[in-house]
Amino acid sequence: MSITEFSIGRLAALTGCKPATIRYYEKIGLLPEPRRSPGNTRIYDQIHLGLLRFIKNSREMGFSQKDVRVLLDITGQIHHPCADVTRIAKAHLAKVDLRIARMSALRSELEVARGGPTNLDS
């Protein structure tokens, strides 16, 4: 393997994804299947590394697998309408705003429970 090729273990270490997660993303088609060595070992490349980092970051930001798939499908398609990206972004923003509102309400409840406003400096 060259320095631009990776075993599943090395790809996992570079991205922080578990090998089982990488295999799962391959199985559901989010990540293209890698080529195989003569011994049938998976051999990943820079494209896999970039895609896996994108998938992982998107999932950590709360995007659904369906949304990640749409975003990946749109990537590189200069003639693709931006409406899908805009729709996904607006829906995700609404979810983020809802989470912020719920966390703010929880913070207020916790402040009351401890007897006053929280002091983050102490």
Side-chain angles (χ1 to χ4, degrees), residues 2 7 12 14 17 20-21 25 30 36 39 41-42 52 56 59 61 67 72 100 109 111-112 117 121-122:
S2 72
S7 66
L14 289 169
C17 286
T21 302
Y25 287 153
L30 279 182
R36 298 281 185 147
T41 302
R42 290 173 167 90
L52 188 55
K56 183 176 188 286
R59 296 291 291 141
M61 288 188 284
D67 289 343
L72 286 171
I100 289 171
E109 290 176 23
E111 287 174 349
V112 170
D121 295 328
S122 58

Side-chain angles (χ1 to χ4, degrees), residues 24-31 54-55 58-59 63-75 88:
Y24 173 72
Y25 287 153
E26 288 172 28
K27 181 180 178 181
I28 64 170
L30 279 182
L31 192 64
F54 177 83
I55 294 166
S58 298
R59 296 291 291 141
F63 286 94
S64 69
Q65 285 181 8
K66 179 181 174 186
D67 289 343
V68 171
R69 185 179 307 280
V70 171
L71 293 171
L72 286 171
D73 288 345
I74 292 170
T75 303
I88 291 169

Side-chain angles (χ1 to χ4, degrees), residues 49-115:
L49 178 62
L51 287 171
L52 188 55
R53 284 180 173 159
F54 177 83
I55 294 166
K56 183 176 188 286
N57 289 335
S58 298
R59 296 291 291 141
E60 285 177 349
M61 288 188 284
F63 286 94
S64 69
Q65 285 181 8
K66 179 181 174 186
D67 289 343
V68 171
R69 185 179 307 280
V70 171
L71 293 171
L72 286 171
D73 288 345
I74 292 170
T75 303
Q77 296 182 23
I78 52 177
H79 299 296
H80 195 285
C82 295
D84 287 339
V85 174
T86 301
R87 177 187 52 77
I88 291 169
K90 283 182 178 181
H92 192 65
L93 180 60
K95 290 176 189 175
V96 169
D97 286 342
L98 180 60
R99 280 195 300 245
I100 289 171
R102 287 179 175 166
M103 294 299 288
S104 293
L106 176 60
R107 180 185 177 101
S108 295
E109 290 176 23
L110 292 172
E111 287 174 349
V112 170
R114 77 179 274 275

